[in-house]
Amino acid sequence: MKKIISAIVLATIFYSANAQTEQGDWMVGGSFNLNTSDNNTQIGFHPGAGIFAADNLAVGGNISLNYTKSGNNKYTAFGIGPFVRYYFTTATQTVRPIIHGAFNYLSTKNKIGNVSSTNTGTNFFIGGGAAAFISNSVSIDALMGYDRTKYKNFDGSGGFAFNIGFQVYINKGLMEKVTGKK
């Protein structure tokens, strides 16, 4: 009897620890940033959602919304595009190494005094980091890597980037209940 209970407990631990990144599971999350100082405000919101196309491999989409005001100058940006993320994982890890790549199409509006202009461009990020699972279905993610932005008619620029965000993981069974599909 003791062996049977031990086997059930181990199977439950293995299932719950590994369930968040199995094929068919979903992830929803993102990051938020706020920076204020004298006469300067920066706000950014970056949500995303994806599905695990294979165990530990998520593909999805992300949105980027940014607003900056410095004096009389205002800058707003909207971006949308795909991402791919791979988790290097074992069933017992609560901190899981990841690699992440994202690409966004950008549209920006700049207002300097009374003069406005708009522009389009692209942005990509490639890097790695870790997802620290604070529960079976939530992780805090830290990523670092290379980030590059290029706007039409302007030289591109890129460099080191560090991002912190979070993810909520929804297993396939729960998602089927929510959507009514099986």
Side-chain angles (χ1 to χ4, degrees):
M1 184 67 159
K2 199 175 191 180
K3 288 183 182 180
I4 293 172
I5 292 173
S6 296
I8 290 171
V9 169
L10 285 175
T12 303
I13 290 169
F14 176 78
Y15 176 76
S16 65
N18 200 27
Q20 25 330 29
T21 62
E22 290 180 348
Q23 184 175 358
D25 292 347
W26 284 78
M27 60 187 273
V28 178
S31 64
F32 174 80
N33 63 292
L34 173 66
N35 184 3
T36 61
S37 61
D38 287 345
N39 211 18
N40 184 23
T41 302
Q42 297 175 336
I43 300 171
F45 181 59
H46 313 280
I51 186 168
F52 284 87
D55 287 356
N56 299 322
L57 177 66
V59 294
N62 47 247
I63 296 173
S64 177
L65 305 166
N66 293 294
Y67 172 79
T68 301
K69 182 178 183 211
S70 181
N72 291 331
N73 304 333
K74 295 178 184 176
Y75 166 84
T76 56
F78 172 78
I80 189 167
F83 75 84
V84 63
R85 176 181 281 200
Y86 185 78
Y87 291 75
F88 297 93
T89 182
T90 65
T92 59
Q93 287 180 288
T94 55
V95 177
R96 301 177 185 184
I98 54 179
I99 55 172
H100 182 94
F103 182 85
N104 279 321
Y105 296 98
L106 303 172
S107 176
T108 63
K109 180 178 180 182
N110 299 310
K111 185 174 181 185
I112 301 171
N114 293 327
V115 179
S116 293
S117 65
T118 58
N119 205 347
T120 58
T122 58
N123 169 266
F124 77 86
F125 172 85
I126 184 123
F133 282 80
I134 59 175
S135 77
N136 283 337
S137 58
V138 177
S139 71
I140 305 266
D141 302 351
L143 293 169
M144 61 182 143
Y146 183 74
D147 189 84
R148 180 168 172 80
T149 301
K150 167 78 171 90
Y151 285 102
K152 186 177 178 183
N153 301 322
F154 291 96
D155 291 335
S157 65
F160 175 79
F162 180 74
N163 301 312
I164 294 179
F166 73 96
Q167 297 297 324
V168 175
Y169 301 84
I170 306 165
N171 74 24
K172 180 181 175 181
L174 180 60
M175 200 62 177
E176 288 173 349
K177 281 183 181 178
V178 170
T179 62
K181 296 179 182 179
K182 196 161 190 176

